[in-house]
Amino acid sequence: MRYLSTRGGDERLSFEETVLTGLAPNGGLYIPEHIPALPADWQTRWRDLSFPALSVEILSLYIDPNEISRAELTALVDKSYATFRHPDITPLAKLDEHTYVLELFHGPTFAFKDVALQLLGNLFEFFLVRRNARKAEGEKPEKLTVVGATSGDTGSAAIYGLRNKADVSIFILHPKGRVSPIQEAQMTTVIDQNVHNIAVNGTFDDCQDIVKALFADRAFNATHRLGAVNSINWARILAQTVYYFLAYFRLPPAPLQFVVPTGNFGDALAGYYARRMGLPAARLAIATNANDILARFWASGAYATRDPAAPASDGRQAGAVQATLSPAMDILVSSNFERLLWHLAHDADGERDAARAGAAVAGWMRAVKADGRVALSPAVLARARADFVAERVSDAQTLATIRAHYDADPPYVADPHTAVALAAARAVAPLNAPATIQVVLSTAHPAKFSEAVTRALAGAPRFDFERDVLPEEFRGLLERERRVVDVEAPDVELVKRVIERFAEKEPENVDEAATVSV
């Protein structure tokens, strides 16, 4: 299996090169040359496998055994998921006969990002240690400078996946004041020598744009050997396909629909690849908050950062990110949507020509950058609608949904992102075949979003947040010492200065909590 850029070109990379490179030099994202078919006996042979064993089977379809042997892959996977608190890794919770919650938050940082980032951290270390072992005595070892942007959960999951990894430094950018207090504390209280937090005075999209600009700067990239942890890294998407299959095997026989709360489209894209591989499931349901670029695309066929129907006073009209109760989804442009666009262009092309698909995507992304929008053809939109349905959910609906499920029998405490998906599931259910089971992906533990949960459940009899929701691991977290660099503006040059200061030589007094400004 080789990997190519969504924006075309002759480059074809191995899995190792794809993982270590992250973003293609032409700005595209890496995708597999083809989507492998499942083995003929997959439904019987895989049915009773554990999550780690199922991971090995699925990942093996995309990784040449000459790159990572089956024994090496098994060891990497087992090491990655040994850190999870639940034996099923991603267990299901039954709400009623037709609704289940797929809980993806049982990893070290209580968020779904752990599923991919525990593995990605081990892959980085595995590849670098192997490369350096092959070097001649005295030859300079390879090091990786990992940079990433986070709207909340990616940062802490990446940090926990890479802390103290050999030959790796990690720099995480987050929008200052736009992540939850618990999310910020999970990142900034990790003071390992190779971990660096950067608080940018801007939005998540600003942070994401800075990361993309760093990768596009060939000289800077070559000097610091940048690696990606955001879902632009293909390994993250691949790792996340596994829990779709696990849910299929753990549920009673029935038509399935997965409902995915999403901002950057990575989790939803993993479900798309699972379906394309052959997993039997209905159209994926996309759940968005007020930052609804995806819902508007499925409604109109226009991928636009501005909503022309919004009132002039609405932030969407100005192309601004709206702050919501589900901040991990407060994203204006969904990076992974580009991967779906490539497949839509490729499938709409009569000859399924990869070069033409790449040229089409490159043109579309230029239009989005220049004009803030691109309108796709009816043929492309029809293909998108064959695989997805989308629904927008307001903050008021989010709060009402949290309360409704707490008051239900059995009671269930949902975080606001899960609540967005639960509300969307209810809205799209009438479109499904009879007896369809909806599987709602729960992306974070409710304790990570205490403000929204306590607001929704204010006045609820017998509810006590600390007793009913707060994990022991979070107690005292907000009071721990921190280390973070404040960057006063969303300026790539300011971020470069921070990376250059630390990348070559880690700070000596890393045991001291500090906040500095640039």
Side-chain angles (χ1 to χ4, degrees), residues 1-4 31-37 61-62 273 342-343:
M1 177 71 79
R2 309 292 285 182
Y3 295 84
L4 55 88
I31 56 174
E33 278 187 314
H34 66 275
I35 299 174
L61 300 176
Y62 291 87
Y273 279 111
W342 187 94
H343 288 289

Side-chain angles (χ1 to χ4, degrees), residues 55 66 71 75 84 124 142 155 224 235 269 296 328 335 365 367 385 405 415 419 422 429 432 439 467 469-470 513 517:
S55 293
N66 292 320
F84 280 63
F124 280 151
E142 285 191 44
H224 296 287
L269 187 75
R296 285 185 283 112
S335 288
M365 300 316 294
R385 286 174 170 170
H405 282 279
D415 93 288
L422 287 164
N432 293 333
V439 182
R467 182 195 64 210
V469 178
L470 193 67
S517 298

Side-chain angles (χ1 to χ4, degrees), residues 194-473:
N194 69 326
V195 173
H196 310 281
N197 284 282
I198 302 174
V200 177
N201 188 15
T203 68
F204 168 74
D205 288 275
D206 293 327
C207 296
Q208 189 161 247
D209 287 345
I210 290 171
V211 169
K212 290 180 178 179
L214 292 172
F215 276 93
D217 186 329
R218 297 197 177 196
F220 188 84
N221 195 337
T223 299
H224 296 287
R225 186 68 168 91
L226 301 186
V229 288
N230 283 90
S231 53
I232 59 175
N233 194 306
W234 164 251
R236 279 192 53 181
I237 306 300
L238 178 56
Q240 290 170 193
T241 62
V242 177
Y243 44 70
Y244 287 91
F245 285 90
L246 189 78
Y248 168 79
F249 285 126
R250 298 295 186 265
L251 288 166
L256 290 185
Q257 179 183 53
F258 292 94
V259 186
V260 190
T262 193
N264 226 12
F265 202 66
D267 214 4
L269 187 75
Y272 172 78
Y273 279 111
R275 288 184 78 242
R276 289 289 298 262
M277 290 166 65
L279 181 69
R283 289 187 299 171
L284 287 152
I286 300 301
T288 77
N289 61 20
N291 299 288
D292 59 351
I293 185 172
L294 295 172
R296 285 185 283 112
F297 166 76
W298 265 279
S300 69
Y303 186 63
T305 57
R306 293 175 174 86
D307 181 0
S313 61
D314 192 317
R316 288 178 291 150
Q317 180 67 29
V321 176
Q322 293 191 80
T324 74
L325 295 173
S326 45
M329 298 157 63
D330 290 351
I331 296 171
L332 198 63
V333 177
S334 300
S335 288
N336 276 290
F337 190 66
E338 181 170 335
R339 284 183 165 116
L340 176 65
L341 287 177
W342 187 94
H343 288 289
L344 296 176
H346 182 257
D347 294 350
D349 181 89
E351 298 180 13
R352 298 195 167 211
D353 184 271
R356 280 202 293 268
V361 171
W364 292 338
M365 300 316 294
R366 282 195 299 269
V368 172
K369 185 174 183 178
D371 305 325
R373 74 186 305 276
V374 62
L376 303 184
S377 71
V380 170
L381 179 58
R383 289 188 175 274
R385 286 174 170 170
D387 289 313
F388 295 91
V389 62
E391 188 73 22
R392 178 183 188 269
V393 175
S394 69
D395 274 355
Q397 290 172 294
T398 301
L399 292 171
T401 301
I402 294 173
R403 182 58 182 261
H405 282 279
Y406 178 76
D407 290 339
D409 184 17
Y412 190 83
V413 180
D415 93 288
H417 306 81
T418 306
V420 168
L422 287 164
R426 183 175 181 180
V428 303
L431 304 175
N432 293 333
T436 296
I437 291 176
Q438 290 182 304
V439 182
V440 173
L441 273 61
S442 181
T443 54
H445 192 284
K448 300 194 80 167
F449 302 94
S450 58
E451 181 183 352
V453 172
T454 54
R455 180 175 164 188
L457 300 181
R462 300 179 303 281
F463 175 71
D464 183 293
F465 182 83
E466 290 208 5
R467 182 195 64 210
D468 300 336
V469 178
L470 193 67
E472 187 61 38
E473 292 88 340

Side-chain angles (χ1 to χ4, degrees), residues 1-5 11-16 18 30-33 59 61-63 67 234 238:
M1 177 71 79
R2 309 292 285 182
Y3 295 84
L4 55 88
S5 169
E11 184 183 43
R12 297 294 184 272
L13 270 59
S14 67
F15 180 74
E16 177 177 343
T18 299
Y30 290 114
I31 56 174
E33 278 187 314
L59 270 57
L61 300 176
Y62 291 87
I63 303 172
E67 287 194 75
W234 164 251
L238 178 56

Side-chain angles (χ1 to χ4, degrees), residues 34-309:
H34 66 275
I35 299 174
L38 299 174
D41 60 349
W42 71 275
Q43 288 178 301
T44 54
R45 186 157 61 87
W46 294 359
R47 172 161 295 281
D48 298 319
L49 295 183
S50 65
F51 187 98
L54 188 58
S55 293
V56 171
E57 296 295 337
I58 294 171
L59 270 57
S60 295
L61 300 176
Y62 291 87
I63 303 172
D64 190 316
N66 292 320
E67 287 194 75
I68 305 178
S69 71
R70 191 174 182 88
E72 289 170 329
L73 183 59
T74 299
L76 283 166
V77 166
D78 287 345
K79 178 181 179 181
S80 300
Y81 299 118
T83 60
F84 280 63
R85 296 181 304 281
H86 197 286
D88 289 341
I89 310 302
T90 58
L92 286 157
K94 183 178 180 179
L95 302 187
D96 58 51
E97 292 302 318
H98 299 292
T99 312
Y100 287 75
V101 172
L102 182 60
E103 295 184 339
L104 307 178
F105 53 73
H106 292 277
T109 70
F110 295 77
F112 84 98
K113 310 289 179 75
D114 290 321
V115 175
L117 285 166
Q118 285 293 304
L119 177 64
L120 182 58
N122 288 322
L123 284 170
F124 280 151
E125 184 176 52
F126 173 81
F127 289 138
L128 288 171
V129 168
R130 184 170 68 181
R131 287 182 172 207
N132 289 331
R134 294 170 178 170
K135 291 185 179 296
E137 185 176 351
E139 191 176 355
K140 187 177 180 180
E142 285 191 44
K143 293 186 177 182
L144 194 66
T145 303
V146 173
V147 293
T150 186
S151 56
D153 286 331
T154 292
S156 56
I159 286 168
Y160 276 70
L162 289 172
R163 62 190 304 184
N164 280 328
K165 294 295 184 187
D167 302 317
V168 180
S169 295
I170 180 169
F171 294 81
I172 291 295
L173 286 65
H174 71 268
K176 187 174 182 178
R178 288 176 177 255
V179 299
S180 79
I182 286 289
Q183 289 174 317
E184 182 182 352
Q186 280 188 306
M187 293 185 286
T188 58
T189 58
V190 178
I191 55 175
D192 298 63
Q193 289 191 9
N194 69 326
V195 173
H196 310 281
N197 284 282
I198 302 174
V200 177
N201 188 15
T203 68
F204 168 74
D205 288 275
D206 293 327
C207 296
Q208 189 161 247
D209 287 345
I210 290 171
V211 169
K212 290 180 178 179
L214 292 172
F215 276 93
D217 186 329
R218 297 197 177 196
F220 188 84
N221 195 337
T223 299
H224 296 287
R225 186 68 168 91
L226 301 186
V229 288
N230 283 90
S231 53
I232 59 175
N233 194 306
W234 164 251
R236 279 192 53 181
I237 306 300
L238 178 56
Q240 290 170 193
T241 62
V242 177
Y243 44 70
Y244 287 91
F245 285 90
L246 189 78
Y248 168 79
F249 285 126
R250 298 295 186 265
L251 288 166
L256 290 185
Q257 179 183 53
F258 292 94
V259 186
V260 190
T262 193
N264 226 12
F265 202 66
D267 214 4
L269 187 75
Y272 172 78
Y273 279 111
R275 288 184 78 242
R276 289 289 298 262
M277 290 166 65
L279 181 69
R283 289 187 299 171
L284 287 152
I286 300 301
T288 77
N289 61 20
N291 299 288
D292 59 351
I293 185 172
L294 295 172
R296 285 185 283 112
F297 166 76
W298 265 279
S300 69
Y303 186 63
T305 57
R306 293 175 174 86
D307 181 0

